[in-house]
Amino acid sequence: MQIPQIRLQTAPMKIGLEIEQPVQQIEQKAAVQSIQQPQAILEIQTTPGKLTIDQSQAREDMDLKSLSRRVDEFAQQGYQDWLAGMARRAQQGTELRHIEKGGNPLAEQARQNSKGPEKQFNLGWIPSPFSVNLDYQKAEVKIEATAQKPIIDAQINTVNHTYTPGSVDVEILQKNALDIDFINLYPDEIR
């Protein structure tokens, strides 16, 4: 027995494309640029430091005194010695005036006048500690800086741009088709 059949056969459409790619060219020349940076204005004011060293006390401790100081000391010492000498002579004169009271004032006075003062010896530091006086006034620095703005000159070059558009050509290489076949169908059965 033969079964009736319907056969369908299809053929798809075939399309051909012819593509021409677009062409784009961009040319950008570098900008011409000039930059100048002026130097900053810098003002510096300096007050120098001052160091004062006073070593007069240390020099006096080592007996290296100034001339004016020596003259003053000698004048004062001479005046004191003169007063002491006047007092001694007045006392010795009084003793000689009263020679009748006994004793041997001439021999005693000769012994006192021939004897010098006893020498003193002691340990010490020469010069004495902290006898050099230092005074320092620190330096002062004032700085003023004025920045200068940069001078920038830029020239921009135009862009060279060319564009060729692409194209697409479409072509039908094969049309679509549908074939229908009826198999094993008798003409009397078709209504």
Side-chain angles (χ1 to χ4, degrees), residues 50-130:
K50 184 177 181 183
L51 175 65
T52 305
I53 301 173
D54 181 10
Q55 57 184 4
S56 57
Q57 180 65 41
R59 291 180 63 81
E60 288 177 11
D61 289 351
M62 295 188 316
D63 201 28
L64 297 172
K65 300 174 184 172
S66 66
L67 183 61
S68 60
R69 181 70 185 242
R70 283 234 191 252
V71 168
D72 288 344
E73 284 182 358
F74 286 156
Q76 185 68 25
Q77 187 65 41
Y79 181 69
Q80 293 298 324
D81 289 347
W82 176 68
L83 288 178
M86 277 182 36
R88 183 178 50 84
R89 284 184 183 83
Q91 180 187 0
Q92 287 178 354
T94 303
E95 288 175 0
L96 289 176
R97 247 188 347 202
H98 299 292
I99 199 167
E100 70 276 357
K101 289 186 180 176
N104 193 0
L106 284 176
E108 186 63 32
Q109 289 178 5
R111 189 174 66 240
Q112 286 176 358
N113 291 341
S114 66
K115 209 165 68 166
E118 287 186 23
K119 299 290 183 185
Q120 298 291 323
F121 179 75
N122 197 357
L123 291 177
W125 300 100
I126 297 178
S128 59
F130 305 109

Side-chain angles (χ1 to χ4, degrees), residues 112-179:
Q112 286 176 358
N113 291 341
S114 66
K115 209 165 68 166
E118 287 186 23
K119 299 290 183 185
Q120 298 291 323
F121 179 75
N122 197 357
L123 291 177
W125 300 100
I126 297 178
S128 59
F130 305 109
S131 61
V132 177
N133 296 322
L134 300 175
D135 181 42
Y136 179 68
Q137 295 174 352
K138 64 180 180 177
E140 291 183 13
V141 179
K142 293 180 182 176
I143 300 174
E144 254 185 62
T146 306
Q148 300 293 318
K149 291 184 179 179
I151 301 168
I152 301 173
D153 181 27
Q155 295 176 353
I156 300 170
N157 291 320
T158 58
V159 177
N160 293 332
H161 180 240
T162 57
Y163 177 71
T164 305
S167 63
V168 177
D169 290 331
V170 180
E171 179 184 0
I172 296 176
L173 299 177
Q174 175 183 334
K175 291 184 177 183
N176 57 345
L178 178 61
D179 289 334

Side-chain angles (χ1 to χ4, degrees), residues 2-4 184-191:
Q2 292 186 351
I3 299 175
N184 299 326
L185 289 179
Y186 300 108
D188 57 343
E189 295 177 3
I190 296 178
R191 294 196 177 154

